[in-house]
């Protein structure tokens, strides 16, 4: 980022991390441009969200396989910009976008990277917080709610 060290009190991102291909570089830059008493607030969709918000395909951000996108297009699965387009156009555009425009990060990976640069890290799946507390012993349910909820909010402090 073209800013001096310690330039900002707050760094905010919303729906950006799923498009970044070098998460470590971005998080490191956040820390560099933040003041020592600053804060970074980031919201992003979970890696394992069931329907990708961009291409509208079940696990389209995970299954980056051209024949899979072809089958989805064949069955009529399209986002709003693809109405009236051919099956091959949709297949190729979804495949290209998934490979070059989507790189979802898991909460575990986000925490691992952020811990290199920040001492305070809070990651919450806000709408399921109460349920998670009650279902902590059911690991699969907990994994699903933590990783498939609508949005993740990550707060970082130096």
């Amino acid at each position: 980022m073209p800013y001096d060290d310690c330039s900002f009190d707050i760094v905010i991102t919303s729906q950006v991390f799923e498009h970044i291909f070098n998460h470590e570089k971005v998080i490191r830059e956040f820390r560099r441009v933040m003041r020592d008493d600053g804060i970074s607030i980031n919201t992003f969709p979970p890696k394992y969200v069931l329907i990708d918000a961009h291409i509208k395909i079940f696990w389209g951000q995970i299954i980056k396989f051209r024949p899979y996108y072809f089958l989805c297009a064949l069955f009529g699965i399209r986002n709003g910009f693809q109405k009236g387009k051919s099956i091959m156009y949709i297949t190729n555009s979804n495949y290209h976008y998934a490979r070059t425009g989507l790189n979802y990060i898991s909460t575990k990976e986000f925490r691992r990277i952020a811990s290199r640069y920040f001492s305070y890290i809070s990651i919450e799946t806000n709408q399921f917080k109460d349920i998670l507390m009650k279902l902590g012993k059911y690991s699969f349910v907990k994994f699903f709610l933590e990783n498939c909820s609508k949005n993740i909010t990550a707060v970082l402090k130096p």
Side-chain angles (χ1 to χ4, degrees):
M1 289 193 255
Y3 302 102
D4 292 336
D5 294 356
C6 303
S7 296
F8 297 98
D9 293 321
I10 188 167
V11 175
I12 299 173
T13 66
S14 180
Q15 311 306 322
V16 172
F17 271 90
E18 72 271 24
H19 302 290
I20 296 170
F21 280 82
N22 189 336
H23 296 107
E24 174 131 16
K25 181 178 179 182
V26 171
I27 292 170
R28 181 176 58 239
E29 280 295 287
F30 286 176
R31 178 60 191 104
R32 183 186 67 76
V33 300
M34 281 175 54
R35 294 192 173 113
D36 288 338
D37 59 348
I39 187 171
S40 176
I41 302 170
N42 309 275
T43 62
F44 52 92
K47 182 173 185 169
Y48 301 106
V49 67
L50 297 179
I51 305 291
D52 174 72
H54 303 87
I55 56 179
K56 305 297 185 196
I57 294 176
F58 176 78
W59 274 17
Q61 75 283 10
I62 302 295
I63 305 171
K64 296 180 181 183
F65 186 56
R66 191 182 304 267
Y68 178 69
Y69 297 125
F70 175 79
L71 285 174
C72 292
L74 188 65
F75 288 119
I77 300 170
R78 291 158 169 69
N79 68 29
F81 300 107
Q82 296 172 334
K83 303 270 188 234
K85 304 288 185 186
S86 73
I87 290 170
M88 287 314 296
Y89 174 86
I90 294 164
T91 299
N92 292 331
S93 64
N94 285 344
Y95 179 74
H96 176 75
Y97 188 71
R99 305 283 288 175
T100 63
L102 297 177
N103 187 34
Y104 285 72
I105 187 169
S106 69
T107 54
K108 182 178 179 180
E109 181 68 4
F110 186 92
R111 184 181 300 281
R112 185 184 67 75
I113 294 170
S115 68
R116 295 178 187 156
Y117 306 98
F118 294 90
S119 60
Y120 176 86
I121 302 163
S122 173
I123 298 176
E124 292 191 19
T125 53
N126 45 18
Q127 69 267 40
F128 294 122
K129 188 175 181 180
D130 294 337
I131 297 171
L132 283 172
M133 298 302 286
K134 295 174 185 171
L135 298 175
K137 65 181 180 177
Y138 302 106
S139 59
F140 177 76
V141 174
K142 184 176 178 184
F143 171 85
F144 179 80
L145 292 176
E146 285 178 342
N147 292 285
C148 301
S149 65
K150 188 171 180 176
N151 270 319
I152 295 164
T153 302
V155 177
L156 309 172
K157 295 179 186 177

